[in-house]
Amino acid sequence: MKSYLSLIPISARVHRRQNRMTQLCIVFAVFMVTAIFSMAEMGARMEQARLTGKHGALAFSDLFGSTLGQTLLATAVFMFFLVLFAGVLMISSSINSSVAQRTRFFGMMRCLGMSRRQVTLFVRLEALNWCKTAVPAGAAAGVLATWGLCAALRFLVGEEFSSIPLFGVSVLGITSGVLVGVITVLLAARAPARQAARVSPIAAVSGNAQPAKAARRAVHPGFFRIETALGIHHAVSARKNLLLMTGSFALSILLFLSFSVLIDFVDHLMPQSAAASDIDITSSDGGNSIDSALLQTLGQMDGVKRVYGRRSCFDVPAGLDGDAALSSTVDLVAFDDFDLEALRKDGLLRRGSDLEAVYGDSSYVLAAWDRYSGWQKGDTILIGGEELTIAGLLQYDPFNSDGLTGGKITLITSGSTFARLTGITDYSLLLIQTTADATDEDVAAIRRIAEESGCTLNDRRDQRNSGTYLAFVSCVYAFLGIITLVTVLNIVNSISMSVSARVKQYGAMRAVGMDGRQVRHMIAAEAFTYAVLGGITGCALGLPLHWVLYDFLIARRFPYAVWRLPAGPLALILCFVIAAALLAACAPSRRICRMPVAETINEL
């Protein structure tokens, strides 16, 4: 051996199994950043090609000066630092536990003459040694994922993604991924390296990571069993380890909540509706002049899956809040039963709305709503001598492009209620959903019948964006799945290594009479302490961050959008955190309980 640095590859081979999770964290961090920046650049190249074809020459810098470019860049940079921060905590926790388990090794090296500076350098170079395989693997996986996503967008989705590059290589994405891998490892190795350098040779050779601290007072179990109290005490007594473990849990929640905002962003950018039509037929005069018999005729034609209609009356005299003089006006829109049910399926109804009361011939209606509206559920409106009650509110006004009511009350009624109030039974708009195998000849036949009836047909089939929506949502869910996987693996690995660093303590407890069940409960209590504290910290930081991102990406672009507590994503990630803590406690518990007491005490 020419130098102590020659031990680094030897140590890597010996501790290959222990280092596997740390390397996997590096791979995931590099992969995520490479894929994020690569997809952002591919999207920018596609947009640049589209704008160049439309406006002529366009510089790449001009694209990032646009609103879309700035949004892509800002989101990618934010995710870069978020992943970097998460990676530092995850990898630092793993390295810290690895150093604690190899205290005797560092102590022996100190006894042989290695200085503190050399120990620090050894730990940092050992961490960088993992990057030799982890960083290229992560970058390659990111490039391959980008190619796969681009191919799926181009061939499966098509539409506006038909010009996206197939095998583009993003220098920005690869460079960002490599930087994340190297910087994350260097930052994560700083604290463990200093910790290893501070260990004295005598203490290290004895097998103790830190000088023994005299217990000033006994652990009081309080309402807990003694093994549960000891597990909680183990978790909170080591402040540095508690900070790293809690931070790992919290960062996982932060990452999950941050990426979940993108789901809401896509929902607002490309709203999907169960009542979305492929063909619209409107009256030539803009009134309710489409014969109701036409609906049955179209419903029996080839290529037609479903036909439903709407009726409307505008500026109808109405009395609000008991105004018998009818000094106000409202707009009335009649929905068929399918259209009404679609409001529920699309989640457009505010909580507490009673949709069932609106069906049939009733005196109940729905009202479009926004945050500036003064009307509420239960308010009454007088129309034509009849009193109508608002049974529910919509999340926004679907009849205005900005989603705001502008102070105008729009009431949605059933067809029967509308006919009773106005005496109108014909339609102003027919909406058609076509079958998957509908042909242009089928649409041409529908057009002929519509034109013979004096109506105008609008073919909207080329405006479908369900494939694009599915592509974006799939990408976001893929990243959420990766985050969840990293969360579970990191928690399992960190708690397992934390327990392994205390093998001697558990051996001593078993020697004085603690049975296997109590050991399992003690380790589970320690794991759940990290989970609870991490969950509280993650919620305290993640929810404000979720609101900030929601405001930046959604609320500023869609005035009707209102932030709500992300109960679903929050409950999901908390369940995964708890499940990960439970899973993390199982393996080390079984391993310690199966080891003989003498072997446990002598374990390094």
Side-chain angles (χ1 to χ4, degrees), residues 23 40 74 76 135 146 177 216 250-251 259 307 363 387 394 398 436 501-502 508 545 578 586 604:
Q23 291 177 307
V135 170
T146 302
R216 297 183 178 179
L251 254 296
F259 273 92
V307 183
S363 59
E387 187 178 75
L394 274 63
R502 290 196 182 94
L545 179 60
I578 293 174
C586 293
L604 293 179

Side-chain angles (χ1 to χ4, degrees), residues 435-564:
T435 59
D437 57 352
T439 64
D440 291 338
E441 289 75 16
D442 295 332
V443 176
I446 297 172
R447 185 185 298 275
R448 285 194 297 270
I449 291 182
E451 291 176 349
E452 290 173 0
S453 302
C455 302
T456 302
L457 184 143
N458 180 22
D459 189 351
R460 297 165 48 89
R461 290 177 298 165
D462 59 346
Q463 299 178 24
R464 295 171 179 169
N465 58 8
S466 56
T468 305
Y469 172 84
L470 180 62
F472 275 109
V473 169
S474 299
C475 291
V476 177
Y477 276 119
F479 280 116
L480 288 176
I482 292 172
I483 292 171
T484 304
L485 177 62
V486 172
T487 298
V488 173
L489 293 178
N490 177 67
I491 290 172
V492 170
N493 179 72
S494 298
I495 292 179
S496 177
M497 296 184 73
S498 177
V499 170
S500 298
R502 290 196 182 94
V503 169
K504 277 194 171 185
Q505 296 181 29
Y506 295 127
M509 292 176 185
R510 290 187 62 196
V512 296
M514 180 175 284
D515 58 27
R517 181 185 61 84
Q518 289 177 308
V519 171
R520 288 192 294 270
H521 287 180
M522 182 169 56
I523 296 175
E526 180 180 354
F528 276 96
T529 301
Y530 297 135
V532 171
L533 294 178
I536 294 173
T537 306
C539 291
L541 299 177
L543 291 177
L545 179 60
H546 186 278
W547 178 84
V548 170
L549 290 175
Y550 189 94
D551 180 71
F552 174 72
L553 290 175
I554 301 174
R556 296 184 185 180
R557 292 166 173 79
F558 306 94
Y560 63 87
V562 179
W563 181 84
R564 294 176 181 83

